[in-house]
Amino acid sequence: MSPSGVSRPAKPKTVFDRDAEWDALVAFAGDTRPGPGLGVVSGRLRQGKTYLLKALSAALGGFYFGAQSAAQAESLRRFADELSQYTGTRPPSPWRGWEDAVDALLALGDRQPVPIVIDEFPDLVRQSPSLPSAIYSAYRRLRETGNDSRARLVLSGGALPVMHRLFSAASPLRELTDLELTLSPLDYRQAARLWHIDDPGLALLVHAVVGGTPAYWGYAGERAPGGPGDFDAWVCRTVLNPRTPLFLEAHHLLQEETDHWDRALCHSALAAVASGCSTQGEIAERLGAPLTDAARWLALLQDNGLLYGEPDAFRPNLIRLRITEPLLAFEHAAVWTCRSALEQQDADEIWRHIRPVFDSAVVGPHFAQICRDWVVDFADPAVFGAHPATAAHGSLLDPARSAGPNAQAEVAEVVVRGPTDTRPSALLSVGVARWDQVMDLHHLEQLRHLLELLAAQGEDVTHTRPACYSGVGFTSALRAAEASGHVVLVDLDRLYRGR
């Protein structure tokens, strides 16, 4: 119920999931308290922001305006025409600028709460840099004069750096904001439901290609593979088919997200990360570029939400980068080098050639990330003895093996830490993730050795639980160790259905 006691409209059946987001938007838009409200909706491209906001406007009788790249005068004309159609009145006299337009918008809430959506707001700001100031001035004027306008203005956009700058702590608009909502990709369980996939192994493979971006369900013709045996053919007829939208989607996504940057360098940086380079130094070396230049490109990719950096679980000063959009990882790890050939040769033959690369460079790391997501989002706190706060990749040098140029680190793909005010936080679990291996006791011994190394460095491992994550299963000996309480085992069925 809203503050006035009026029931809220149910989410349309055509909107998949997004229950919490819908409830937050409806509560904001229907708030009957006097004074104008300001909401902000952001998120990467293709996540369904426009679809959700159009549904909100339709359900509550609100006004929706989708901005386009145009001159300011053209945008104002479009805006005036659409506003007059909404109100059923004659078009207003030519506005002097966005100041007049904002005043006309906020007047829509004079009688009752009404949602007013300006979608792709960053496009308007590029045309009219003074627009944020016009909105701020209008809100301050209404609030200082005690105006009872109940306009509920929602500003939305997918250009993350612009949205972050416009609504950062230093921005005047921030103090006016009543709602901040970010639409993230669907999690891997939600994505499986969207694609109507019951088999967890198949669901993970599809997620490793298209992730949780809702739009890609439509791009693939709203058809998932018919079963595990149809996955290869599905890849060939969708992502690798030049006649489908998914074929060039990774290219378009990078082009739209990165705007005017040097896209060749962005592609090369993403290819380096997809090949296994995870630190700035490794990526700079792979590109043959100065570290300062590489750091700048990588920071831009992070600002746009295409890369994500997090501290190594055992060496917090070491920041590891990963590609956030699975389709970009799939493209740059497996498809990038043979893209031109796909327009001339049979996709089945090319896919047979690159499928091993997909399995090792794409699915393996993706499986590890899904395991980390399971820990934080779905695992019962009892599994690790406390509620997990973080799950990250960890690497530690073994003094006995760290000498010489070929020194290797001991790696744990799933390091779980609990919430605490101290640093480092409590180490709840260390785990290894193997997508394509039946795991045995030697994996448990590997984890025990890692725990010994950590204890020698002063880490408290008294209550740390070893964990093995496998895409194909565990031996009977390892299952027996699980029954004795010596290890936590997580398979695909548990990842998708269990806690």
Side-chain angles (χ1 to χ4, degrees), residues 71-85:
Q72 174 177 298
E74 174 62 22
S75 292
L76 282 170
R77 280 195 296 270
R78 277 192 56 232
F79 195 91
D81 289 343
E82 294 188 25
L83 185 60
S84 66
Q85 292 176 21

Side-chain angles (χ1 to χ4, degrees), residues 239-240 247-255 262-275 286-287 323 326-343 350-351 353-354 357-358 361-362:
V239 192
L240 303 185
F247 181 71
L248 288 177
E249 172 59 15
H251 170 78
H252 292 321
L253 181 64
L254 192 61
Q255 185 176 39
D262 187 331
R263 297 191 185 97
L265 292 174
C266 292
H267 280 296
S268 296
L270 291 172
V273 176
S275 71
R286 177 68 175 261
L287 300 182
I323 299 173
L327 187 63
L328 286 177
F330 173 80
E331 167 76 16
H332 290 88
V335 183
W336 184 246
T337 58
C338 59
R339 175 157 291 282
S340 60
L342 283 166
E343 299 182 7
I350 293 175
W351 177 241
H353 176 70
I354 62 177
V357 178
F358 169 73
V362 178

Side-chain angles (χ1 to χ4, degrees), residues 12-237:
K13 293 182 179 180
T14 54
V15 177
F16 177 81
D17 206 89
R18 304 300 192 196
D19 294 339
E21 293 88 343
W22 176 263
D23 290 344
L25 284 167
V26 169
F28 166 76
D31 189 345
T32 59
R33 290 174 294 184
L38 180 64
V40 180
V41 177
S42 60
R44 283 181 18 230
L45 299 173
R46 318 287 196 260
Q47 303 310 318
K49 297 184 297 298
T50 295
Y51 195 86
L52 183 64
L53 292 172
K54 283 185 174 180
L56 176 77
S57 300
L60 295 178
F63 173 69
Y64 173 91
F65 178 76
Q68 297 175 341
S69 296
Q72 174 177 298
E74 174 62 22
S75 292
L76 282 170
R77 280 195 296 270
R78 277 192 56 232
F79 195 91
D81 289 343
E82 294 188 25
L83 185 60
S84 66
Q85 292 176 21
Y86 173 77
T87 59
T89 60
R90 296 180 60 184
S93 301
W95 287 325
R96 293 166 296 175
W98 279 107
E99 291 81 4
D100 292 343
V102 172
D103 287 342
L105 267 187
L106 297 182
L108 295 177
D110 283 347
R111 292 188 177 87
Q112 62 184 10
V114 57
I116 302 163
V117 177
I118 298 181
D119 203 2
E120 300 304 336
F121 182 63
D123 280 347
L124 291 184
V125 175
R126 291 189 185 99
Q127 306 162 23
S128 310
S130 63
L131 176 56
S133 296
I135 294 174
Y136 177 80
S137 297
Y139 268 71
R140 294 296 298 178
R141 185 167 60 253
L142 290 177
R143 291 183 176 185
E144 290 172 359
T145 59
N147 187 288
D148 287 343
S149 170
R150 292 170 174 80
R152 304 296 179 237
L153 178 61
V154 179
L155 305 177
S156 176
L160 295 184
V162 179
M163 294 295 288
H164 292 163
R165 183 176 69 253
L166 290 173
F167 301 98
S168 67
S171 168
L173 288 178
R174 179 63 178 269
E175 67 182 72
L176 303 177
T177 303
D178 303 295
L179 172 71
E180 291 185 72
L181 192 64
T182 300
L183 257 66
S184 301
L186 302 173
D187 67 48
Y188 67 94
R189 288 187 174 184
Q190 293 169 328
R193 294 196 295 272
L194 173 67
W195 287 81
H196 307 293
I197 301 176
D198 295 325
D199 182 276
L202 178 60
L204 192 139
L205 287 174
V206 170
H207 195 268
V209 177
V210 293
T213 296
Y216 297 161
W217 163 244
Y219 287 10
E222 298 186 353
R223 294 186 61 185
D230 186 43
F231 174 73
D232 292 329
W234 175 82
V235 171
C236 292
R237 65 177 177 259

Side-chain angles (χ1 to χ4, degrees), residues 184-481:
S184 301
L186 302 173
D187 67 48
Y188 67 94
R189 288 187 174 184
Q190 293 169 328
R193 294 196 295 272
L194 173 67
W195 287 81
H196 307 293
I197 301 176
D198 295 325
D199 182 276
L202 178 60
L204 192 139
L205 287 174
V206 170
H207 195 268
V209 177
V210 293
T213 296
Y216 297 161
W217 163 244
Y219 287 10
E222 298 186 353
R223 294 186 61 185
D230 186 43
F231 174 73
D232 292 329
W234 175 82
V235 171
C236 292
R237 65 177 177 259
T238 55
V239 192
L240 303 185
N241 183 352
R243 294 181 296 277
T244 66
L246 277 174
F247 181 71
L248 288 177
E249 172 59 15
H251 170 78
H252 292 321
L253 181 64
L254 192 61
Q255 185 176 39
E256 293 171 8
E257 293 277 18
T258 56
D259 201 9
H260 59 278
W261 310 346
D262 187 331
R263 297 191 185 97
L265 292 174
C266 292
H267 280 296
S268 296
L270 291 172
V273 176
S275 71
C277 300
S278 62
T279 67
Q280 288 187 358
E282 291 173 343
I283 296 166
E285 182 177 358
R286 177 68 175 261
L287 300 182
L291 182 59
T292 52
D293 290 348
R296 184 171 64 254
W297 308 327
L298 296 172
L300 290 171
L301 289 168
Q302 288 184 77
D303 288 343
N304 278 266
L306 301 180
L307 284 180
Y308 177 74
E310 63 183 357
D312 184 278
F314 301 137
R315 295 183 283 173
N317 292 330
L318 180 65
I319 304 299
R320 297 190 178 279
L321 298 167
R322 62 178 175 85
I323 299 173
T324 57
E325 173 53 63
L327 187 63
L328 286 177
F330 173 80
E331 167 76 16
H332 290 88
V335 183
W336 184 246
T337 58
C338 59
R339 175 157 291 282
S340 60
L342 283 166
E343 299 182 7
Q344 305 170 24
Q345 300 178 25
D346 181 63
D348 293 338
E349 180 180 346
I350 293 175
W351 177 241
R352 281 194 296 271
H353 176 70
I354 62 177
R355 176 66 197 262
V357 178
F358 169 73
D359 290 331
S360 61
V362 178
V363 187
H366 192 77
F367 174 69
Q369 183 58 47
I370 292 295
C371 294
R372 293 188 286 267
D373 292 343
W374 176 82
V375 166
V376 175
D377 296 334
F378 300 108
D380 192 296
V383 174
F384 301 109
H387 195 286
T390 62
H393 181 284
S395 60
L396 190 68
L397 291 176
D398 183 348
R401 302 172 57 195
S402 60
N406 297 320
Q408 293 183 344
E410 298 290 334
V411 172
E413 288 84 5
V414 190
V415 180
V416 185
R417 293 191 180 274
T420 178
D421 294 333
T422 61
R423 294 291 183 270
S425 54
L427 184 61
L428 302 181
S429 175
V430 293
V432 289
R434 300 290 182 267
W435 161 249
D436 57 354
Q437 291 182 24
V438 175
M439 302 187 77
D440 201 349
L441 289 176
H442 80 272
H443 293 98
L444 178 57
E445 291 304 316
Q446 174 187 340
L447 290 171
R448 287 171 174 165
H449 175 62
L450 180 56
L451 289 174
E452 291 174 359
L453 294 177
L454 291 167
Q457 293 191 3
E459 183 97 50
D460 183 2
V461 300
T462 307
H463 303 292
T464 305
R465 303 181 181 184
C468 293
Y469 305 78
S470 174
V472 290
F474 312 96
T475 64
S476 57
L478 198 56
R479 285 290 187 188

